Amino acid sequence: MTERLLDDPGKRERFFARLMKTVPHFDSLGIAYEQAGKDWVELRMPYAESLVAYPETGVIASGAIFSLMDTAAGMSVYIRIGRFEPHATLDLRCDYLRPATPGLAVFGRAECYKLTKRVAFVRGIAHDGDPDHPVAHVAGTFMFTGKP
């Protein structure tokens, strides 16, 4: 059995800190690791004028929120299996429920709720401070791309 390195909080923190610095896309969006549990992860994307779609509204572009949620969903797979395992997004549906509040950070929380040999199933929400009043909901699948 492969060691579950991400079960150790210190190793998990270092893994996500390194990953966040390695991927320029995360840095461009300001995405940062917040917290994680046994099958979920929560990320934070700060409000930034560069992420606003229409300046007259001040609302963060839906594409930035989608990127946040794709990242959180993918990372929830790492958490669930306890280690880095290459995988790719097969499908990710994002239902926007309302605009994010201008000026507030957006949090993306996703969980990997089912694993098969080759596919991980995920779901999650984006919110701007109140998880009971989400900005968006996602559901999707990820395929493991390494050797079976």
Side-chain angles (χ1 to χ4, degrees), residues 47-138:
Y47 182 85
E49 300 254 340
S50 62
L51 301 178
V52 172
Y54 302 102
E56 64 275 7
T57 68
V59 175
I60 291 178
S62 59
I65 293 171
F66 185 90
S67 291
L68 171 68
M69 294 311 299
D70 188 32
T71 303
M75 289 184 176
S76 75
V77 176
Y78 295 146
I79 291 293
R80 174 75 186 252
I81 62 176
R83 65 185 185 283
F84 175 80
E85 183 73 34
H87 58 278
T89 309
L90 275 180
D91 178 54
L92 188 65
R93 175 189 169 112
C94 185
D95 295 319
Y96 293 96
L97 306 174
R98 65 175 181 85
T101 305
L104 297 181
V106 177
F107 296 85
R109 184 177 175 124
E111 71 169 320
C112 178
Y113 65 92
K114 171 80 174 157
L115 287 173
T116 67
K117 188 174 181 177
R118 303 297 303 154
V119 178
F121 297 82
V122 299
R123 60 185 165 213
I125 63 162
H127 66 86
D128 54 13
D130 181 1
D132 292 330
H133 190 54
V135 170
H137 173 269
V138 298

Coordinates of all heavy atoms in Angstrom, one line a residue, residues 47-138:
Y47 N -10.3 39.0 -3.4 CA -10.9 40.0 -4.3 C -9.7 40.8 -4.9 O -8.8 41.2 -4.2 CB -11.8 40.9 -3.7 CG -12.5 41.9 -4.6 CD1 -13.6 41.5 -5.3 CD2 -12.0 43.1 -4.9 CE1 -14.2 42.3 -6.2 CE2 -12.6 44.0 -5.8 CZ -13.7 43.6 -6.5 OH -14.3 44.4 -7.4
A48 N -9.8 40.9 -6.3 CA -8.7 41.7 -7.0 C -9.4 42.4 -8.2 O -10.2 41.7 -8.9 CB -7.6 40.9 -7.4
E49 N -9.1 43.6 -8.4 CA -9.7 44.3 -9.5 C -9.4 43.6 -10.9 O -10.2 43.6 -11.8 CB -9.1 45.8 -9.6 CG -9.4 46.6 -8.3 CD -10.5 47.6 -8.6 OE1 -10.8 48.0 -9.7 OE2 -11.1 48.0 -7.5
S50 N -8.2 43.0 -10.9 CA -7.8 42.2 -12.2 C -8.7 41.0 -12.4 O -8.8 40.5 -13.6 CB -6.4 41.8 -12.1 OG -6.2 40.9 -11.0
L51 N -9.5 40.6 -11.5 CA -10.4 39.5 -11.6 C -11.9 39.9 -12.0 O -12.7 39.0 -12.2 CB -10.5 38.6 -10.4 CG -9.1 38.0 -9.9 CD1 -9.3 37.2 -8.6 CD2 -8.5 37.2 -11.0
V52 N -12.1 41.2 -12.0 CA -13.4 41.7 -12.3 C -13.7 41.7 -13.8 O -12.9 42.1 -14.6 CB -13.6 43.2 -11.7 CG1 -14.9 43.8 -12.1 CG2 -13.4 43.1 -10.2
A53 N -14.9 41.1 -14.1 CA -15.3 41.0 -15.5 C -15.8 42.4 -16.1 O -15.4 42.8 -17.1 CB -16.4 40.0 -15.7
Y54 N -16.7 43.0 -15.3 CA -17.2 44.3 -15.8 C -17.0 45.3 -14.7 O -17.7 45.3 -13.6 CB -18.7 44.1 -16.1 CG -19.0 43.1 -17.1 CD1 -19.4 41.8 -16.8 CD2 -18.8 43.4 -18.5 CE1 -19.6 40.9 -17.8 CE2 -19.0 42.5 -19.5 CZ -19.4 41.2 -19.1 OH -19.6 40.3 -20.1
P55 N -16.1 46.3 -14.9 CA -15.8 47.3 -13.8 C -17.0 48.0 -13.2 O -16.9 48.3 -12.0 CB -14.9 48.3 -14.6 CG -14.3 47.5 -15.7 CD -15.4 46.5 -16.1
E56 N -18.0 48.2 -14.0 CA -19.2 48.9 -13.4 C -19.9 48.1 -12.3 O -20.6 48.7 -11.5 CB -20.1 49.4 -14.5 CG -20.8 48.2 -15.3 CD -20.0 47.7 -16.5 OE1 -18.8 48.1 -16.6 OE2 -20.5 46.9 -17.2
T57 N -19.7 46.8 -12.3 CA -20.4 45.9 -11.3 C -19.4 45.6 -10.2 O -19.9 45.4 -9.0 CB -20.9 44.6 -11.9 OG1 -19.7 43.8 -12.3 CG2 -21.8 44.9 -13.1
G58 N -18.1 45.5 -10.4 CA -17.2 45.1 -9.4 C -17.2 43.6 -9.1 O -16.6 43.1 -8.2
V59 N -18.0 42.8 -9.9 CA -18.2 41.4 -9.6 C -17.0 40.6 -10.3 O -16.7 40.8 -11.4 CB -19.5 40.9 -10.2 CG1 -19.7 39.4 -10.0 CG2 -20.7 41.6 -9.4
I60 N -16.5 39.6 -9.5 CA -15.4 38.7 -10.0 C -16.0 37.9 -11.2 O -17.1 37.4 -11.1 CB -14.9 37.8 -8.9 CG1 -14.1 38.6 -7.8 CG2 -14.0 36.7 -9.5 CD1 -13.6 37.8 -6.7
A61 N -15.2 37.8 -12.2 CA -15.5 37.0 -13.4 C -15.8 35.6 -13.1 O -15.1 35.0 -12.2 CB -14.4 37.1 -14.4
S62 N -16.8 35.0 -13.8 CA -17.2 33.6 -13.5 C -16.0 32.7 -13.8 O -15.9 31.6 -13.2 CB -18.4 33.2 -14.3 OG -18.2 33.4 -15.7
G63 N -15.2 33.0 -14.8 CA -14.0 32.1 -15.1 C -13.0 32.0 -14.0 O -12.5 30.9 -13.8
A64 N -12.8 33.1 -13.2 CA -11.9 33.0 -12.1 C -12.5 32.1 -11.0 O -11.8 31.3 -10.4 CB -11.7 34.4 -11.5
I65 N -13.8 32.1 -10.8 CA -14.5 31.3 -9.8 C -14.4 29.8 -10.3 O -14.2 28.9 -9.5 CB -15.9 31.7 -9.6 CG1 -15.9 33.1 -8.8 CG2 -16.7 30.7 -8.7 CD1 -17.2 33.8 -8.7
F66 N -14.6 29.6 -11.6 CA -14.5 28.2 -12.2 C -13.1 27.7 -11.9 O -12.9 26.5 -11.5 CB -14.9 28.2 -13.6 CG -14.9 26.8 -14.2 CD1 -16.0 26.1 -14.2 CD2 -13.7 26.2 -14.7 CE1 -16.1 24.8 -14.7 CE2 -13.7 25.0 -15.2 CZ -14.9 24.2 -15.2
S67 N -12.1 28.5 -12.2 CA -10.7 28.1 -12.0 C -10.5 27.7 -10.5 O -9.8 26.7 -10.2 CB -9.7 29.1 -12.4 OG -9.8 29.3 -13.8
L68 N -11.0 28.5 -9.6 CA -10.9 28.3 -8.2 C -11.5 26.9 -7.8 O -10.9 26.1 -7.1 CB -11.5 29.4 -7.4 CG -11.7 29.1 -5.9 CD1 -10.4 29.1 -5.1 CD2 -12.6 30.2 -5.2
M69 N -12.7 26.7 -8.3 CA -13.4 25.4 -8.0 C -12.7 24.2 -8.7 O -12.7 23.1 -8.1 CB -14.8 25.5 -8.4 CG -15.6 26.6 -7.5 SD -15.3 26.4 -5.8 CE -16.0 24.7 -5.5
D70 N -12.2 24.3 -9.9 CA -11.5 23.2 -10.5 C -10.3 22.9 -9.7 O -10.0 21.7 -9.5 CB -11.1 23.6 -12.0 CG -10.6 22.5 -12.8 OD1 -10.9 21.3 -12.6 OD2 -9.7 22.8 -13.7
T71 N -9.6 23.9 -9.2 CA -8.4 23.7 -8.4 C -8.7 23.0 -7.1 O -8.1 22.0 -6.7 CB -7.7 25.0 -8.1 OG1 -7.4 25.6 -9.4 CG2 -6.4 24.8 -7.3
A72 N -9.8 23.5 -6.4 CA -10.2 22.9 -5.1 C -10.7 21.5 -5.3 O -10.3 20.6 -4.6 CB -11.3 23.7 -4.5
A73 N -11.4 21.2 -6.4 CA -11.9 19.9 -6.7 C -10.7 18.9 -6.9 O -10.7 17.8 -6.4 CB -12.9 19.9 -7.9
G74 N -9.8 19.3 -7.8 CA -8.6 18.5 -8.0 C -7.8 18.2 -6.8 O -7.3 17.1 -6.6
M75 N -7.7 19.2 -5.9 CA -6.9 19.0 -4.7 C -7.6 18.1 -3.7 O -7.0 17.5 -2.9 CB -6.6 20.4 -4.1 CG -5.5 21.1 -4.9 SD -5.1 22.6 -4.1 CE -3.8 23.2 -5.2
S76 N -8.9 18.1 -3.8 CA -9.7 17.2 -2.9 C -9.4 15.8 -3.2 O -9.4 14.9 -2.3 CB -11.2 17.5 -2.9 OG -11.8 17.0 -4.1
V77 N -9.1 15.5 -4.4 CA -8.7 14.1 -4.8 C -7.4 13.8 -4.1 O -7.2 12.7 -3.6 CB -8.6 14.0 -6.4 CG1 -8.1 12.6 -6.7 CG2 -9.9 14.3 -7.0
Y78 N -6.4 14.7 -4.1 CA -5.1 14.4 -3.4 C -5.4 14.1 -2.0 O -4.8 13.2 -1.4 CB -4.2 15.6 -3.5 CG -3.7 16.0 -4.9 CD1 -3.5 17.3 -5.2 CD2 -3.4 15.1 -5.9 CE1 -3.0 17.7 -6.4 CE2 -2.9 15.5 -7.1 CZ -2.7 16.8 -7.4 OH -2.2 17.2 -8.6
I79 N -6.2 14.9 -1.4 CA -6.5 14.7 0.1 C -7.2 13.4 0.3 O -6.8 12.6 1.2 CB -7.4 15.8 0.6 CG1 -6.7 17.2 0.6 CG2 -8.0 15.5 1.9 CD1 -5.6 17.2 1.6
R80 N -8.1 13.0 -0.5 CA -8.9 11.7 -0.4 C -7.9 10.5 -0.5 O -8.0 9.6 0.3 CB -10.0 11.6 -1.4 CG -10.7 10.3 -1.4 CD -11.7 10.2 -0.2 NE -12.3 8.9 -0.2 CZ -13.6 8.6 -0.5 NH1 -14.4 9.6 -0.8 NH2 -14.0 7.4 -0.5
I81 N -7.0 10.6 -1.4 CA -6.1 9.4 -1.6 C -4.8 9.5 -0.8 O -4.1 8.6 -0.6 CB -5.8 9.1 -3.1 CG1 -5.0 10.3 -3.7 CG2 -7.0 8.8 -3.9 CD1 -4.6 10.1 -5.1
G82 N -4.6 10.7 -0.2 CA -3.5 10.9 0.7 C -2.1 11.1 0.1 O -1.1 11.1 0.8
R83 N -2.1 11.4 -1.2 CA -0.8 11.6 -1.9 C -1.0 12.2 -3.2 O -2.1 12.3 -3.7 CB -0.1 10.2 -2.1 CG -0.8 9.3 -3.0 CD -0.2 7.9 -3.1 NE -0.9 7.1 -4.1 CZ -2.0 6.5 -4.0 NH1 -2.7 6.6 -2.8 NH2 -2.6 5.9 -5.0
F84 N 0.1 12.6 -3.8 CA 0.0 13.2 -5.2 C -0.2 12.0 -6.1 O 0.5 11.0 -6.1 CB 1.3 13.9 -5.5 CG 1.3 14.4 -7.0 CD1 0.6 15.6 -7.3 CD2 1.9 13.7 -7.9 CE1 0.6 16.0 -8.6 CE2 1.9 14.1 -9.2 CZ 1.3 15.3 -9.6
E85 N -1.2 12.1 -7.0 CA -1.5 11.1 -8.0 C -1.9 12.0 -9.2 O -3.0 12.6 -9.1 CB -2.5 10.2 -7.6 CG -2.8 9.1 -8.5 CD -1.8 8.0 -8.6 OE1 -1.1 7.7 -7.6 OE2 -1.5 7.5 -9.7
P86 N -1.2 11.9 -10.4 CA -1.6 12.7 -11.5 C -3.1 12.4 -11.9 O -3.4 11.2 -12.0 CB -0.6 12.3 -12.6 CG 0.5 11.8 -11.9 CD 0.0 11.1 -10.6
H87 N -3.8 13.4 -12.2 CA -5.2 13.2 -12.7 C -5.6 14.5 -13.5 O -5.0 15.5 -13.4 CB -6.2 13.0 -11.5 CG -6.2 14.0 -10.5 ND1 -5.3 14.1 -9.5 CD2 -7.1 15.1 -10.3 CE1 -5.6 15.2 -8.7 NE2 -6.7 15.8 -9.2
A88 N -6.6 14.3 -14.3 CA -7.1 15.4 -15.1 C -8.6 15.5 -15.0 O -9.3 14.5 -14.8 CB -6.8 15.1 -16.6
T89 N -9.1 16.7 -15.2 CA -10.5 17.0 -15.1 C -11.2 16.4 -16.3 O -10.9 16.7 -17.5 CB -10.8 18.5 -15.1 OG1 -10.0 19.2 -14.1 CG2 -12.3 18.8 -14.9
L90 N -12.1 15.4 -16.1 CA -12.9 14.9 -17.2 C -14.1 15.7 -17.5 O -14.5 16.0 -18.6 CB -13.4 13.5 -16.8 CG -12.5 12.3 -17.0 CD1 -13.2 11.0 -16.6 CD2 -12.1 12.2 -18.5
D91 N -14.8 16.1 -16.4 CA -16.0 16.9 -16.5 C -16.2 17.7 -15.2 O -15.9 17.2 -14.1 CB -17.2 16.0 -16.7 CG -18.5 16.7 -16.7 OD1 -18.6 17.6 -17.6 OD2 -19.4 16.4 -16.0
L92 N -16.5 19.0 -15.4 CA -16.8 19.8 -14.2 C -17.9 20.7 -14.5 O -17.8 21.6 -15.4 CB -15.6 20.6 -13.7 CG -15.7 21.3 -12.4 CD1 -15.9 20.3 -11.2 CD2 -14.5 22.2 -12.1
R93 N -19.1 20.5 -13.9 CA -20.2 21.4 -14.1 C -20.2 22.4 -13.0 O -20.1 22.1 -11.8 CB -21.5 20.5 -14.0 CG -22.8 21.4 -14.1 CD -24.0 20.5 -13.8 NE -25.1 21.4 -13.7 CZ -26.1 21.5 -14.6 NH1 -26.1 20.7 -15.6 NH2 -27.1 22.3 -14.3
C94 N -20.4 23.6 -13.4 CA -20.5 24.7 -12.4 C -21.8 25.5 -12.6 O -22.0 26.0 -13.7 CB -19.3 25.7 -12.6 SG -19.2 27.0 -11.4
D95 N -22.6 25.5 -11.6 CA -23.9 26.2 -11.6 C -23.7 27.5 -10.7 O -23.4 27.4 -9.6 CB -25.0 25.4 -11.0 CG -25.3 24.1 -11.8 OD1 -25.3 24.3 -13.0 OD2 -25.6 23.1 -11.2
Y96 N -23.8 28.6 -11.4 CA -23.7 29.9 -10.7 C -25.0 30.2 -10.1 O -26.0 30.3 -10.8 CB -23.2 31.0 -11.7 CG -21.8 30.7 -12.1 CD1 -21.5 30.1 -13.3 CD2 -20.7 31.1 -11.3 CE1 -20.2 29.8 -13.7 CE2 -19.4 30.8 -11.7 CZ -19.2 30.2 -12.9 OH -17.9 29.9 -13.3
L97 N -25.0 30.5 -8.8 CA -26.2 30.8 -8.1 C -26.5 32.2 -7.9 O -27.6 32.7 -7.7 CB -26.2 30.0 -6.8 CG -25.9 28.5 -6.9 CD1 -25.8 27.9 -5.5 CD2 -27.0 27.8 -7.7
R98 N -25.4 33.0 -7.8 CA -25.5 34.5 -7.6 C -24.1 35.1 -7.9 O -23.1 34.4 -7.8 CB -26.0 34.8 -6.2 CG -25.0 34.4 -5.1 CD -25.5 34.9 -3.7 NE -24.5 34.5 -2.7 CZ -23.5 35.2 -2.4 NH1 -23.2 36.4 -3.0 NH2 -22.7 34.8 -1.4
P99 N -24.1 36.4 -8.1 CA -22.7 37.0 -8.2 C -22.0 37.1 -6.8 O -22.7 37.2 -5.8 CB -23.1 38.4 -8.7 CG -24.5 38.5 -9.0 CD -25.2 37.3 -8.3
A100 N -20.7 36.9 -6.9 CA -19.9 37.1 -5.6 C -20.0 38.6 -5.2 O -20.1 39.5 -6.1 CB -18.5 36.7 -5.9
T101 N -20.0 38.8 -4.0 CA -20.1 40.2 -3.5 C -18.8 41.0 -3.8 O -17.8 40.5 -3.4 CB -20.4 40.2 -1.9 OG1 -21.6 39.4 -1.7 CG2 -20.6 41.6 -1.4
P102 N -18.9 42.1 -4.5 CA -17.7 42.9 -4.7 C -17.0 43.2 -3.5 O -17.5 43.6 -2.5 CB -18.3 44.1 -5.4 CG -19.5 43.7 -6.1 CD -20.1 42.7 -5.1
G103 N -15.6 43.1 -3.6 CA -14.8 43.4 -2.4 C -14.5 42.3 -1.5 O -13.6 42.4 -0.7
L104 N -15.2 41.2 -1.6 CA -15.0 40.0 -0.7 C -14.2 38.9 -1.4 O -14.3 38.7 -2.6 CB -16.3 39.4 -0.2 CG -17.2 40.4 0.6 CD1 -18.5 39.6 1.0 CD2 -16.4 40.9 1.8
A105 N -13.4 38.2 -0.6 CA -12.7 37.0 -1.1 C -13.7 35.9 -1.4 O -14.8 35.9 -0.8 CB -11.7 36.5 -0.1
V106 N -13.4 35.0 -2.3 CA -14.2 33.9 -2.6 C -13.5 32.6 -2.1 O -12.3 32.4 -2.4 CB -14.6 33.8 -4.1 CG1 -15.4 32.5 -4.4 CG2 -15.3 35.0 -4.5
F107 N -14.2 31.8 -1.4 CA -13.7 30.5 -0.9 C -14.2 29.4 -1.7 O -15.4 29.4 -2.1 CB -14.1 30.3 0.6 CG -13.5 31.3 1.5 CD1 -14.1 32.5 1.7 CD2 -12.3 31.1 2.1 CE1 -13.6 33.5 2.5 CE2 -11.8 32.1 2.9 CZ -12.4 33.3 3.1
G108 N -13.4 28.4 -2.1 CA -13.8 27.3 -2.8 C -13.6 26.0 -2.0 O -12.4 25.8 -1.6
R109 N -14.6 25.3 -1.6 CA -14.5 24.1 -0.8 C -15.1 23.0 -1.6 O -16.2 23.0 -2.1 CB -15.3 24.3 0.5 CG -15.2 23.1 1.4 CD -15.9 23.3 2.7 NE -15.9 22.2 3.5 CZ -15.5 22.2 4.8 NH1 -15.0 23.3 5.3 NH2 -15.5 21.1 5.5
A110 N -14.2 21.9 -1.8 CA -14.6 20.8 -2.6 C -14.3 19.5 -1.8 O -13.3 19.4 -1.1 CB -13.9 20.8 -3.9
E111 N -15.1 18.5 -2.1 CA -14.9 17.2 -1.5 C -14.8 16.1 -2.6 O -15.6 16.2 -3.6 CB -15.9 16.8 -0.4 CG -17.3 16.5 -1.0 CD -18.2 15.9 0.0 OE1 -17.8 15.1 0.8 OE2 -19.4 16.3 -0.1
C112 N -14.0 15.1 -2.3 CA -13.9 13.9 -3.2 C -14.7 12.9 -2.4 O -14.3 12.4 -1.4 CB -12.5 13.5 -3.4 SG -12.4 12.0 -4.4
Y113 N -15.9 12.6 -2.9 CA -16.8 11.7 -2.2 C -16.8 10.3 -2.7 O -17.4 9.4 -2.0 CB -18.2 12.3 -2.2 CG -18.9 12.4 -3.5 CD1 -19.7 11.3 -4.0 CD2 -18.8 13.5 -4.3 CE1 -20.3 11.4 -5.2 CE2 -19.4 13.5 -5.6 CZ -20.2 12.5 -6.0 OH -20.8 12.5 -7.2
K114 N -16.2 10.0 -3.8 CA -16.2 8.6 -4.3 C -15.0 8.4 -5.2 O -14.6 9.3 -6.0 CB -17.5 8.4 -5.1 CG -17.5 7.1 -5.9 CD -17.9 5.9 -5.1 CE -18.1 4.7 -5.9 NZ -18.0 3.5 -5.2
L115 N -14.3 7.2 -5.0 CA -13.2 6.9 -5.8 C -13.4 5.5 -6.4 O -14.0 4.6 -5.8 CB -11.9 6.7 -5.0 CG -11.3 8.0 -4.4 CD1 -10.1 7.6 -3.5 CD2 -10.7 8.8 -5.6
T116 N -13.1 5.4 -7.7 CA -13.0 4.1 -8.3 C -11.5 3.9 -8.7 O -10.7 4.7 -8.4 CB -13.9 4.0 -9.6 OG1 -13.4 4.8 -10.6 CG2 -15.3 4.3 -9.3
K117 N -11.2 2.8 -9.4 CA -9.8 2.5 -9.8 C -9.2 3.7 -10.6 O -8.1 4.0 -10.5 CB -9.7 1.2 -10.5 CG -8.3 0.8 -10.8 CD -8.3 -0.6 -11.3 CE -6.9 -1.1 -11.6 NZ -6.8 -2.4 -12.1
R118 N -10.0 4.3 -11.5 CA -9.5 5.2 -12.5 C -10.2 6.6 -12.4 O -9.8 7.5 -13.1 CB -9.7 4.7 -13.9 CG -9.0 3.4 -14.2 CD -7.5 3.4 -14.0 NE -6.8 4.4 -14.9 CZ -5.7 5.0 -14.6 NH1 -5.0 4.6 -13.6 NH2 -5.1 5.9 -15.4
V119 N -11.3 6.7 -11.6 CA -12.1 8.0 -11.6 C -12.4 8.4 -10.2 O -12.7 7.6 -9.3 CB -13.4 7.8 -12.4 CG1 -14.2 9.1 -12.4 CG2 -13.1 7.4 -13.9
A120 N -12.3 9.8 -10.0 CA -12.6 10.4 -8.7 C -13.9 11.3 -8.9 O -13.9 12.0 -9.9 CB -11.5 11.2 -8.2
F121 N -14.8 11.2 -8.0 CA -16.0 12.0 -8.1 C -16.0 13.1 -7.1 O -15.6 12.9 -5.9 CB -17.3 11.1 -7.9 CG -17.4 10.1 -8.9 CD1 -16.7 8.9 -8.9 CD2 -18.3 10.3 -10.0 CE1 -16.9 7.9 -9.8 CE2 -18.4 9.3 -11.0 CZ -17.7 8.1 -10.9
V122 N -16.3 14.4 -7.5 CA -16.1 15.5 -6.6 C -17.4 16.4 -6.6 O -18.2 16.3 -7.6 CB -14.9 16.4 -7.0 CG1 -13.6 15.6 -6.9 CG2 -15.1 16.9 -8.4
R123 N -17.5 17.2 -5.6 CA -18.6 18.2 -5.5 C -18.1 19.3 -4.6 O -17.2 19.1 -3.8 CB -19.9 17.6 -5.0 CG -19.8 17.0 -3.7 CD -21.1 16.3 -3.3 NE -20.9 15.4 -2.1 CZ -21.5 14.3 -1.9 NH1 -22.4 13.8 -2.8 NH2 -21.2 13.6 -0.8
G124 N -18.7 20.5 -4.7 CA -18.3 21.6 -3.9 C -19.1 22.8 -4.1 O -20.0 22.9 -4.9
I125 N -18.7 23.8 -3.3 CA -19.4 25.1 -3.4 C -18.3 26.2 -3.3 O -17.2 26.1 -2.8 CB -20.4 25.4 -2.3 CG1 -19.7 25.4 -0.9 CG2 -21.6 24.4 -2.3 CD1 -20.6 26.0 0.2
A126 N -18.7 27.4 -3.9 CA -17.9 28.6 -3.8 C -18.8 29.5 -3.0 O -20.0 29.6 -3.2 CB -17.6 29.2 -5.1
H127 N -18.2 30.3 -2.0 CA -19.0 31.2 -1.3 C -18.1 32.4 -0.9 O -16.8 32.3 -1.1 CB -19.5 30.6 0.0 CG -18.5 30.2 1.0 ND1 -18.0 31.0 1.9 CD2 -17.8 29.0 1.2 CE1 -17.1 30.4 2.7 NE2 -17.0 29.1 2.2
D128 N -18.7 33.5 -0.5 CA -17.9 34.7 -0.2 C -18.0 35.0 1.3 O -18.0 36.2 1.7 CB -18.2 35.9 -1.1 CG -19.7 36.2 -1.1 OD1 -20.5 35.7 -0.2 OD2 -20.1 37.0 -1.9
G129 N -18.0 34.0 2.1 CA -18.0 34.2 3.6 C -19.1 33.4 4.3 O -19.0 33.2 5.5
D130 N -20.2 33.1 3.6 CA -21.3 32.3 4.2 C -21.6 31.1 3.4 O -22.2 31.2 2.3 CB -22.5 33.2 4.3 CG -23.7 32.5 4.9 OD1 -23.6 31.3 5.3 OD2 -24.8 33.1 5.0
P131 N -21.1 29.9 3.8 CA -21.3 28.7 3.1 C -22.8 28.3 2.9 O -23.1 27.6 1.9 CB -20.6 27.6 3.9 CG -19.7 28.3 4.8 CD -20.3 29.7 5.0
D132 N -23.6 28.9 3.7 CA -25.1 28.7 3.5 C -25.7 29.5 2.4 O -26.9 29.4 2.1 CB -25.8 28.9 4.9 CG -25.5 27.8 5.9 OD1 -25.1 26.7 5.5 OD2 -25.5 28.1 7.1
H133 N -24.9 30.4 1.9 CA -25.3 31.3 0.8 C -24.3 31.3 -0.3 O -23.6 32.2 -0.6 CB -25.5 32.7 1.4 CG -26.2 33.7 0.4 ND1 -27.4 33.5 -0.2 CD2 -25.8 34.9 0.0 CE1 -27.7 34.5 -0.9 NE2 -26.7 35.4 -0.9
P134 N -24.2 30.1 -1.0 CA -23.1 29.9 -2.0 C -23.3 30.8 -3.2 O -24.4 31.2 -3.6 CB -23.2 28.4 -2.3 CG -24.6 28.0 -2.0 CD -25.1 28.9 -0.9
V135 N -22.1 31.0 -3.8 CA -22.0 31.7 -5.1 C -22.2 30.7 -6.3 O -22.8 31.0 -7.3 CB -20.6 32.4 -5.2 CG1 -20.4 32.9 -6.6 CG2 -20.5 33.5 -4.2
A136 N -21.7 29.5 -6.1 CA -21.7 28.5 -7.1 C -21.6 27.1 -6.5 O -21.2 27.0 -5.4 CB -20.6 28.7 -8.1
H137 N -22.1 26.2 -7.3 CA -22.0 24.7 -6.9 C -21.4 24.0 -8.0 O -21.6 24.3 -9.2 CB -23.5 24.2 -6.7 CG -23.5 22.7 -6.5 ND1 -23.6 21.8 -7.5 CD2 -23.4 22.0 -5.4 CE1 -23.6 20.6 -7.0 NE2 -23.4 20.7 -5.7
V138 N -20.5 23.1 -7.7 CA -19.8 22.3 -8.8 C -20.0 20.8 -8.5 O -20.2 20.4 -7.4 CB -18.3 22.6 -8.9 CG1 -18.1 24.0 -9.3 CG2 -17.5 22.2 -7.7

